[in-house]
Amino acid sequence: MKIREEKQGEVLIYALEGEVNINTSPELRKAFDKIIREGQKKVIVDFSEISYIDSSGLATLIEMYQRLKKNGGRLRLCAMGEKVRSVFEITKLVKLFEIFPNLTEALEGF
């Protein structure tokens, strides 16, 4: 998995590429730790280049959501392919996360 970091105003965007699984989740958690340390409040994770996510990837995202919320921040997800989105729907995580069809819409009103 690759993580590309971009900043647009006050919003930090993590564009992920590859798979979020048991092997790559620690790398994502490490990147999220940096966000918390730096006091970042607005974060978008772009899934447009993610082909697969497993339970460890979901757990990492839930942990990040909770940590950001505790610190007064927000996490938005965007641009999920059909396969990845179905995982969020099956697990009912669509009710927890703010999920947008694309990055442009995720940035609006943030």
Side-chain angles (χ1 to χ4, degrees), residues 36 41 63-74:
I36 298 297
K41 301 286 186 210
E63 178 187 335
M64 182 56 184
Y65 169 84
Q66 291 170 333
R67 291 175 70 192
L68 267 173
K69 189 175 179 181
K70 182 180 169 188
N71 292 330
R74 288 171 61 196

Side-chain angles (χ1 to χ4, degrees), residues 12-50:
L12 178 67
I13 301 160
Y14 270 178
L16 308 180
E17 185 180 325
E19 294 186 357
V20 184
N21 58 39
I22 191 130
N23 297 317
T24 60
S25 289
E27 182 183 343
L28 186 57
R29 183 172 280 110
K30 187 176 172 184
F32 283 155
D33 286 343
K34 178 181 167 218
I35 291 171
I36 298 297
R37 275 195 316 276
E38 293 174 352
Q40 182 68 42
K41 301 286 186 210
K42 297 177 180 181
V43 180
I44 295 174
V45 179
D46 181 344
F47 279 84
S48 58
E49 299 296 321
I50 288 293

